[in-house]
Amino acid sequence: MKTKKIHKPLIYAHRGASADAPENTMASFELAAQYEADGIELDVILTKDGEVVVIHDDDVDRTSNGKGTVEQMYYSDIKALDFGSWKGSEFKGEKIPLLTDVCRLVKDKNMLLNIEIKPTVRSSEIEDKVISICKSMDLVDQVVISSFNHYCMRSIKKKFSKLETAILYQSGIMKAGRYARHTVKADGIHPHKYAVVAECVKSAALNGIKIRPWTVDSPAIFQKMAGIKYITGVITNRPDIMRKALNEITNK
Ligand code: G3P
Ligand code: CA
């Protein structure tokens, strides 16, 4: 019987090791490094005064002890909030990171970084800032930028073609590889895990497009994906468990 080839997808920690530490904080990114994730996935939004901060929601309400919309708040005010206690008292005092804080960690640990730009009417401003940070931190070769806003991905590519980009989507895109390659001029697709169907893989293969599904927390789904050549990475809340699952199939 023919044995199925393993392709060792890279493991990206979704908002850090967010199952065990408060999402999008330095604690969760450091834990991801400890868990031997290859990379980190994070979300970025601009503050009122134009700082690029790492946070998923458009407000601080769910993940801090404060209230307010990120884009209408000053960085100094958001920085004073506690982003750890909601997850557990041991994380009390965790601050909101700047993108540059995480870039320093990524550089230090020699990891990969997936920066997701959250949709905003200030798209051009955040695109310019993210590009400038990647360049100044010398991280261009370690970064992939993604967004649900595909205009933003097209724009990043136009502004600085060396940066790898990927379109995010939940479902509903036919021939996603062709759309990414020819319409958006992106290098990858980041579909929801249930959108990774045969037609999607075929279109990615035909167009030389990388696939990194999210959020893959089940070892069984991960191991199945490791048999698909074009799935070059997975985005997971459980990098420790995915590492174990990969070790199991590669050490057989
Ligand atoms: O990048 C994959 C995933 O993070 C997209 O969804 O809502 O978790 O940012 P969300
Ligand atoms: Ca995200």
Side-chain angles (χ1 to χ4, degrees), residues 143-159:
V143 166
V144 55
I145 316 278
S146 60
S147 185
F148 286 101
N149 176 358
H150 302 172
Y151 293 107
C152 167
M153 293 299 86
R154 179 76 190 98
S155 176
I156 291 256
K157 208 56 171 178
K158 266 192 186 155
K159 287 176 179 173

Side-chain angles (χ1 to χ4, degrees), residues 9 11-12 14 19 192-194 213-227 231 233-249:
I11 296 166
Y12 283 81
H14 182 239
H192 184 269
K193 60 178 179 269
Y194 295 136
W214 51 278
T215 309
V216 181
D217 289 347
S218 138
I221 295 179
F222 176 83
Q223 289 175 341
K224 207 169 153 200
M225 287 180 170
I231 299 188
V234 299
I235 300 167
T236 176
N237 297 312
R238 319 279 333 218
D240 50 335
I241 291 175
M242 297 312 112
R243 175 63 60 206
K244 201 166 154 247
L246 185 60
N247 288 342
E248 264 170 28
I249 47 175

Side-chain angles (χ1 to χ4, degrees), residues 22 25-28 30 63 79 81-85 90-97:
T25 63
M26 293 311 288
S28 70
E30 276 154 16
T63 56
K79 199 180 158 192
L81 301 175
D82 171 2
F83 279 84
S85 291
E90 68 273 35
F91 298 111
K92 187 173 178 207
E94 277 297 320
K95 300 289 173 208
I96 192 167

Side-chain angles (χ1 to χ4, degrees), residues 1-248:
M1 206 175 91
K2 208 174 154 194
T3 342
K4 212 165 185 192
K5 195 163 169 14
I6 308 299
H7 293 284
K8 292 196 184 178
L10 294 164
I11 296 166
Y12 283 81
H14 182 239
R15 310 180 198 174
S18 59
D20 295 335
E23 65 179 58
N24 283 330
T25 63
M26 293 311 288
S28 70
F29 301 135
E30 276 154 16
L31 190 58
Q34 226 173 289
Y35 283 165
E36 296 178 37
D38 299 292
I40 284 166
E41 185 270 356
L42 54 75
D43 310 283
V44 289
I45 299 182
L46 284 174
T47 61
K48 187 170 184 173
D49 46 340
E51 294 292 342
V52 184
V53 289
V54 179
I55 184 167
H56 178 270
D57 299 0
D58 63 1
D59 60 49
V60 299
D61 303 15
R62 178 178 61 90
T63 56
S64 84
N65 58 345
K67 274 198 183 317
T69 304
V70 178
E71 288 205 328
Q72 289 165 12
M73 295 171 81
Y74 289 101
Y75 172 58
S76 55
D77 294 327
I78 305 181
K79 199 180 158 192
L81 301 175
D82 171 2
F83 279 84
S85 291
W86 71 276
K87 187 76 175 177
S89 53
E90 68 273 35
F91 298 111
K92 187 173 178 207
E94 277 297 320
K95 300 289 173 208
I96 192 167
L98 288 168
L99 176 59
T100 48
D101 296 330
V102 191
C103 284
R104 270 189 286 278
L105 177 80
V106 164
K107 192 116 194 106
D108 184 46
K109 305 278 183 193
N110 196 23
M111 294 175 88
L112 300 169
L113 181 60
N114 172 201
I115 302 170
E116 179 188 341
I117 299 180
K118 286 296 181 198
T120 169
V121 291
R122 293 160 73 193
S123 197
S124 187
E125 183 184 347
I126 197 165
E127 287 159 21
D128 291 343
K129 287 188 171 161
V130 167
I131 291 171
S132 160
I133 289 168
C134 291
K135 281 184 181 170
S136 67
M137 306 277 308
D138 192 21
L139 276 174
V140 173
D141 295 337
Q142 282 158 257
V143 166
V144 55
I145 316 278
S146 60
S147 185
F148 286 101
N149 176 358
H150 302 172
Y151 293 107
C152 167
M153 293 299 86
R154 179 76 190 98
S155 176
I156 291 256
K157 208 56 171 178
K158 266 192 186 155
K159 287 176 179 173
F160 187 49
S161 62
K162 279 189 188 161
L163 261 178
E164 200 174 327
T165 56
I167 55 157
L168 267 165
Y169 67 101
Q170 176 101 26
S171 64
I173 300 186
M174 293 298 289
K175 297 188 176 163
R178 189 176 78 173
Y179 165 71
R181 174 64 67 210
H182 297 287
T183 305
V184 189
K185 316 282 185 204
D187 309 287
I189 57 175
H190 290 188
H192 184 269
K193 60 178 179 269
Y194 295 136
V196 183
V197 292
E199 183 275 332
C200 159
V201 175
K202 188 177 166 198
S203 170
L206 283 173
N207 290 281
I209 286 286
K210 294 175 182 171
I211 312 174
R212 300 182 196 89
W214 51 278
T215 309
V216 181
D217 289 347
S218 138
I221 295 179
F222 176 83
Q223 289 175 341
K224 207 169 153 200
M225 287 180 170
I228 302 172
K229 186 176 167 192
Y230 291 91
I231 299 188
T232 59
V234 299
I235 300 167
T236 176
N237 297 312
R238 319 279 333 218
D240 50 335
I241 291 175
M242 297 312 112
R243 175 63 60 206
K244 201 166 154 247
L246 185 60
N247 288 342
E248 264 170 28

